[in-house]
Amino acid sequence: MLDRGGSGTGEGADPMGHEISVRELGAARLAGVLHRGDYRKLGTSFERLRELLGPGDWAQVRRAAAVGHDNPRRTAEADLRAHACVLVTEAFALRPPFEEIRYPAGRYAVMLLRGPCDQLPEAGRGFIEDWLAASGEVAAGPAPYEVYLNDPRDTAPADLLTEVRLPLV
């Protein structure tokens, strides 16, 4: 896992009961394919991503991840941009159509979502709009990214675990 030296500060929960901690994370390198449109259809881009990964690539893959670049409340659905990604090592050979997205090492607010991924939009809204505002923390700028800790292909929806990682100042 890419977490390095979790400090455990800022432990707590948001108003919806999701576990939130503030901790130090190592740098993350993501390789992703661009998705345009409804975020709820990101699964089709993950299917494409899996098809593009060759047998030699899997040794460099650590976890599945995603980045939603736009706020669906402010951006028309047709204009929404996201990346279906995998967290990869530095040895991963980046090639088109993969795009690299990097997150620096540093302080992150991390929300743990237990349950189906269709809860992510509302949970993420509560995390960013409610918890962040009440916490006194300041977002560092890049969009948060999601890391999927288990696989929906072999995990019951109620047992899925997703971390939403928000870079902090």
Side-chain angles (χ1 to χ4, degrees):
M1 194 151 158
L2 296 177
D3 300 280
R4 306 231 197 296
S7 64
T9 61
E11 301 294 325
D14 69 357
M16 297 172 67
H18 300 105
E19 298 171 29
I20 297 176
S21 61
V22 175
R23 58 187 191 216
E24 295 287 326
L25 296 181
R29 181 179 186 228
L30 287 70
V33 293
L34 183 62
H35 173 87
R36 290 202 178 267
D38 189 345
Y39 285 167
R40 293 171 296 185
K41 296 180 180 172
L42 191 59
T44 59
S45 293
F46 273 108
E47 290 171 17
R48 180 173 174 237
L49 176 72
R50 278 192 291 275
E51 291 169 2
L52 291 167
L53 290 167
D57 293 329
W58 287 102
Q60 308 309 319
V61 171
R62 298 297 171 247
R63 298 214 181 267
V67 180
H69 300 284
D70 302 302
N71 183 336
R73 290 184 179 186
R74 297 188 191 120
T75 304
E77 185 176 288
D79 297 328
L80 290 172
R81 297 165 303 121
H83 278 86
C85 303
V86 283
L87 283 165
V88 295
T89 68
E90 291 298 322
F92 181 83
L94 197 68
R95 62 197 178 276
F98 291 108
E99 297 178 37
E100 182 179 67
I101 303 169
R102 288 189 177 263
Y103 282 83
R107 291 180 69 243
Y108 285 75
V110 180
M111 178 186 69
L112 178 64
L113 173 71
R114 295 175 193 275
C117 291
D118 63 3
Q119 295 178 7
L120 276 165
E122 189 60 30
R125 242 188 315 280
F127 178 40
I128 303 300
E129 295 175 6
D130 299 333
W131 179 88
L132 183 62
S135 72
E137 297 288 347
V138 177
Y145 68 105
E146 300 166 4
V147 177
Y148 307 105
L149 303 180
N150 46 19
D151 190 333
R153 293 175 297 171
D154 60 15
T155 306
D159 296 328
L160 290 172
L161 299 173
T162 305
E163 285 187 347
V164 180
R165 299 174 176 183
L166 174 67
L168 299 174
V169 171

